[in-house]
Amino acid sequence: MNKSLLAGVILFLAIAAGPLARAQETLSIIPYPKEVTIQNGYFQLTPGTPILATTADSRKSAELFNQLLLARQGFSLPITQVKPSGKAIILGETEGADGNERYELEISPEQILLTGRKAGIFYGLQTVLQLIESRDGKVTVPAAQIKDEPAFAYRGLMLDVSRHFFSTDQIKKMLDLMGYFKFNRMHWHLTEDQGWRLEIKKYPKLTQVSAWRDSTIIGQYYDFKPFIYDGKPHGGYYTQEEARDIVRYAAERHITVIPEIELPGHSSAVLAAYPELGSFEVKDGKALPGTIPAKNDKGEPYNNELNTYVPGYWGVHYNIYGPTEKAFGFLEDVLTEVMEIFPSEYIHIGGDEVPKDQWITSEIAQKVIKKEKLADEHELQSFFIRRIEKFLNKNGRKLIGWDEILEGGLAPNATVMSWRGEKGGIEAAKMGHDVIMTPNSHLYFDHYQAADKTTEPLAIGGFLPLKKVYSYSPIPESLTTEEQKHVLGVQANLWTEYIPTNNKMEYFLFPRALALAEVAWKSKEEKNFKSFTHHRLPKRLAELEERNVFFRIPEAEISISRDESTKRHLIAITPLVANAEVFYTVDGHKADQTANRYTGAFLAPIPGEGQGPLTLRYILVTPGGRSSNEFQVEIKLP
């Protein structure tokens, strides 16, 4: 073949391969859209590129788009209600009875056309923001056709602010990120044994007394006996106007805030201020111990510990509300004010971890059991929750609670959050109740992120790496097709006993929340962990750093193969943060920024005769200069 003919063939193959190569690319979007067709070319954004938004909702979404664009690129776009003649972003808000979160994007060099209903327009613009890249000094969006909608209607994160209080600014930062990654529910855990966090105007002592504790234990729960306390007062609360502001802020990002008011357990903070709401007679402002002598199956007296203060230590406390008209009146008053603040269809009532010791030894509680013809204290709990559910239903709301509300019989219209594994959720779905899957095995973000806990900040326990979060599927295979329809979605929970700072909150949320975003948006069959970690996560983590999010820097992808020419191990290290540097050692000593700088795959040293595998130790340093924990991998073939 002559040279000119060969050159022509090469040119033809290159041109023909171009579209195919583009089609095989993966766009850096989390969660990844349902349908993507990548095309040739790019749409260029300039300060003069108009956004056509003809409705109030689409204009609000365009304004939020502009806020992030300005922060990242230094300019925003003009928003217009008059159809532009040139290149533009066109927001076509559609009408319809369903598919509020569905959207379609057509990105060409001439325009970006986004169609969908209210939430769909917002989500489509978040996708555009994730697609923005710098190319030859220009701000561009790659040409593509995208059709997208979520697999699950409920996609949530729970934040506990009772163990440690977080400012409204930090919560808004979390809501910004939730909206960006297409979450639509924030479950706000507002009350606990260790603190009450919401202003209730009818009961001022909830913010004067219940919102504050004198001190907090240090270390893990089992580190010191007796406990060692830090001696620092901790507390705070949200005024009703601050809470309304959070609700408004979330709603603009198409996130519903679900408040949680714990009952009948986890009530020590309330009973410290209002002891008369418990199960015993009150004298001199303090509840008296149990009135019925009783022993458990071990022959031991039931624990009647009565805190008269807001405790600063964790665990399940014995103080619970009494099944009295006074307690029900208090809770109905509180929930009335809560419903005035939160328009959420659901009101979360907790219902978890309710020790029955006080009810067993309470003459008041035992009289209720007898009067209502209840079998035991478990049915008394069900009676208590049913009473609250009737009140919520009467006011047009639905009750949602943790899976312990199944004990003693489930309230008629209740929705269950299954946290003790999936068993409670499966049971509830089989009974015809709606379910949110939130098992502690896969979705408790207060758990450690490394098997070697000494390399991680203090946590409550457990081990929940990124891959395990991503592996979760909310639909149990044991359910029938009809029963599976009761699984509304999925939620991760961030309990904050050991999370006192903003940085630590973000460290425990990210990047695991990005894995959850994909679990909540996509079906089991559509997920691909390698695509997630290799092609999409690195760019998103680098972006989080630009947004001052203190995420945990995840372990790199380590590839160990055999180099046939030398018969030695060949080691390749791929960071999961874009443009991160790697520093490593292979001699067993500490890796830091004085160690070998990784520049490409390298041959491992040759162990001496009879020696075991060597150890690779490495750290990652992000473009912003943050250093990861030190990671270790044995140098041996898989």
Side-chain angles (χ1 to χ4, degrees):
M1 184 180 294
N2 62 47
K3 290 183 179 180
S4 60
L5 180 58
L6 178 60
V9 170
I10 292 173
L11 178 61
F12 171 81
L13 291 175
I15 294 171
L20 179 61
R22 291 294 315 279
Q24 292 176 338
E25 291 178 13
T26 300
L27 299 176
S28 180
I29 306 169
I30 296 176
Y32 203 67
K34 192 173 184 67
E35 296 181 31
V36 176
T37 303
I38 302 176
Q39 299 177 332
N40 288 324
Y42 301 88
F43 181 86
Q44 183 181 351
L45 290 174
T46 69
T49 303
I51 303 177
L52 175 64
T54 58
T55 68
D57 287 298
S58 62
R59 285 195 295 276
K60 172 54 68 174
S61 292
E63 289 168 5
L64 295 174
F65 172 91
N66 265 339
Q67 287 178 18
L68 191 52
L69 181 67
L70 178 63
R72 287 172 52 187
Q73 302 296 337
F75 65 87
S76 59
L77 308 181
I79 300 172
T80 180
Q81 298 184 58
V82 179
K83 186 175 182 179
S85 57
K87 295 183 178 181
I89 299 176
I90 310 295
L91 306 184
E93 188 174 317
T94 58
E95 300 293 332
D98 58 7
N100 183 48
E101 297 182 315
R102 183 185 305 133
Y103 68 91
E104 293 187 17
L105 264 172
E106 293 185 20
I107 305 168
S108 72
E110 299 305 315
Q111 73 171 11
I112 295 177
L113 175 61
L114 169 59
T115 57
R117 293 184 63 203
K118 296 175 183 179
I121 293 293
F122 175 78
Y123 291 140
L125 286 173
Q126 305 314 299
T127 295
V128 172
L129 283 166
Q130 291 194 31
L131 287 172
I132 290 174
E133 57 192 7
S134 296
R135 182 176 295 271
D136 301 325
K138 300 175 182 178
V139 179
T140 62
V141 182
Q145 287 187 329
I146 295 173
K147 295 181 180 181
D148 200 11
E149 63 181 317
F152 296 98
Y154 187 110
R155 306 180 301 281
L157 283 172
M158 187 282 289
L159 176 63
D160 165 27
V161 295
S162 297
R163 273 53 176 265
H164 283 100
F165 181 77
F166 292 92
S167 70
T168 56
D169 284 345
Q170 181 64 14
I171 292 172
K172 287 180 178 179
K173 183 179 180 182
M174 176 177 162
L175 288 167
D176 285 338
L177 294 165
M178 288 177 65
Y180 191 59
F181 294 108
K182 303 182 176 73
F183 288 95
N184 65 359
R185 299 290 189 279
M186 186 186 86
H187 172 180
W188 204 4
H189 187 82
L190 289 163
T191 73
E192 234 339 311
D193 288 303
Q194 295 82 15
W196 180 283
R197 301 290 176 234
L198 181 66
E199 177 189 26
I200 302 296
K201 294 184 184 297
K202 192 168 182 177
Y203 297 96
K205 285 198 288 186
L206 291 174
T207 47
Q208 294 166 0
V209 176
S210 303
W212 308 92
R213 59 178 183 261
D214 293 337
S215 197
T216 305
I217 64 168
I218 66 170
Q220 243 285 351
Y221 184 87
Y222 298 104
D223 283 351
F224 305 104
K225 293 293 182 180
F227 297 132
I228 295 177
Y229 288 85
D230 62 10
K232 300 175 182 178
H234 181 84
Y237 64 90
Y238 306 98
T239 67
Q240 292 196 1
E241 187 49 45
E242 286 174 327
R244 287 190 177 93
D245 183 47
I246 289 293
V247 169
R248 285 193 296 266
Y249 193 89
E252 290 175 348
R253 289 148 183 81
H254 297 273
I255 297 169
T256 299
V257 180
I258 299 174
E260 180 176 355
I261 305 297
E262 278 271 14
L263 60 94
H266 289 293
S267 306
S268 295
V270 173
L271 297 179
Y274 298 101
E276 65 271 20
L277 301 177
S279 297
F280 304 113
E281 180 186 350
V282 174
K283 185 176 181 180
D284 299 328
K286 294 184 179 181
L288 301 177
T291 52
I292 300 175
K295 295 183 179 181
N296 62 23
D297 55 9
K298 296 180 181 179
E300 302 165 337
Y302 280 94
N303 191 321
N304 278 312
E305 171 195 11
L306 298 174
N307 290 331
T308 56
Y309 59 94
V310 180
Y313 62 98
W314 320 126
V316 177
H317 292 254
Y318 290 90
N319 279 11
I320 63 174
Y321 291 111
T324 66
E325 289 305 311
K326 185 173 289 187
F328 286 126
F330 165 82
L331 288 168
E332 289 178 4
D333 289 341
V334 166
L335 291 171
T336 296
E337 293 194 34
V338 167
M339 288 186 288
E340 290 170 353
I341 300 167
F342 297 91
S344 165
E345 175 187 25
Y346 285 121
I347 303 295
H348 204 300
I349 55 83
D352 62 307
E353 297 177 330
V354 183
K356 312 300 192 297
D357 300 39
Q358 292 182 1
W359 284 352
I360 290 170
T361 60
S362 163
E363 185 176 350
I364 296 170
Q366 293 303 314
K367 283 182 179 179
V368 174
I369 290 175
K370 185 176 181 180
K371 178 185 176 183
E372 300 294 333
K373 297 181 173 56
L374 305 174
D376 54 22
E377 290 74 25
H378 293 296
E379 286 197 7
L380 179 58
Q381 177 175 339
S382 179
F383 166 82
F384 198 109
I385 290 172
R386 286 171 189 261
R387 171 79 177 260
I388 297 299
E389 185 188 40
K390 287 178 182 177
F391 176 75
L392 292 175
N393 292 166
K394 180 182 174 182
N395 286 276
R397 305 303 180 91
K398 292 182 180 179
L399 179 147
I400 188 169
W402 304 108
D403 56 57
E404 284 96 331
I405 66 174
L406 288 160
E407 297 171 2
L410 188 56
N413 303 306
T415 296
V416 171
M417 276 192 174
S418 189
W419 75 275
R420 297 177 299 178
E422 293 184 328
K423 182 179 178 182
I426 292 170
E427 181 182 346
K430 287 182 177 295
M431 294 166 62
H433 288 269
D434 288 340
V435 174
I436 311 299
M437 286 298 187
T438 176
N440 55 0
S441 58
H442 289 76
L443 298 175
Y444 265 46
F445 282 6
D446 55 340
H447 288 186
Y448 283 101
Q449 299 181 70
D452 182 0
K453 296 176 182 178
T454 63
T455 67
E456 289 289 312
L458 175 65
I460 197 168
F463 172 41
L464 183 59
L466 184 67
K467 188 173 185 178
K468 188 171 183 180
V469 175
Y470 194 88
S471 73
Y472 184 63
S473 174
I475 303 293
E477 294 180 358
S478 60
L479 295 178
T480 66
T481 302
E482 280 303 306
E483 291 166 346
Q484 288 177 0
K485 293 177 182 178
H486 287 291
V487 180
L488 303 181
V490 64
Q491 173 177 291
N493 301 322
L494 188 67
W495 303 102
T496 62
E497 288 96 330
Y498 301 99
I499 302 178
T501 67
N502 293 345
N503 276 1
K504 197 167 184 182
M505 179 221 273
E506 294 171 6
Y507 183 95
F508 277 74
L509 277 176
F510 298 99
R512 291 185 292 193
L514 305 191
L516 175 64
E518 198 130 308
V519 169
W521 191 266
K522 302 178 72 63
S523 68
K524 179 181 179 180
E525 295 73 25
E526 292 172 323
K527 292 188 300 175
N528 184 310
F529 186 64
K530 186 172 182 179
S531 168
F532 173 76
T533 54
H534 284 60
H535 301 301
R536 294 181 283 122
L537 185 62
K539 185 175 180 179
R540 299 278 72 84
L541 290 182
E543 180 184 68
L544 287 183
E545 183 169 46
E546 293 173 1
R547 295 178 69 170
N548 297 314
V549 177
F550 197 86
F551 61 90
R552 180 185 186 268
I553 302 168
E555 293 85 344
E557 183 77 19
I558 306 298
S559 173
I560 302 177
S561 58
R562 185 176 177 85
D563 180 68
E564 292 302 328
S565 63
T566 61
K567 307 302 182 185
R568 291 163 63 184
H569 292 92
L570 183 67
I571 301 171
I573 306 174
T574 305
L576 299 189
V577 181
N579 302 315
E581 290 189 295
V582 182
F583 297 89
Y584 70 93
T585 67
V586 288
D587 58 6
H589 290 283
K590 178 181 175 63
D592 56 25
Q593 286 175 264
T594 68
N596 301 299
R597 183 176 178 276
Y598 179 77
T599 57
F602 62 92
L603 294 170
I606 305 170
E609 187 174 348
Q611 290 180 347
L614 298 173
T615 298
L616 168 69
R617 300 174 70 167
Y618 69 94
I619 64 167
L620 307 168
V621 179
T622 67
R626 277 188 56 213
S627 178
S628 72
N629 301 330
E630 184 186 61
F631 304 121
Q632 297 187 31
V633 177
E634 279 195 352
I635 303 174
K636 59 181 181 180
L637 289 174

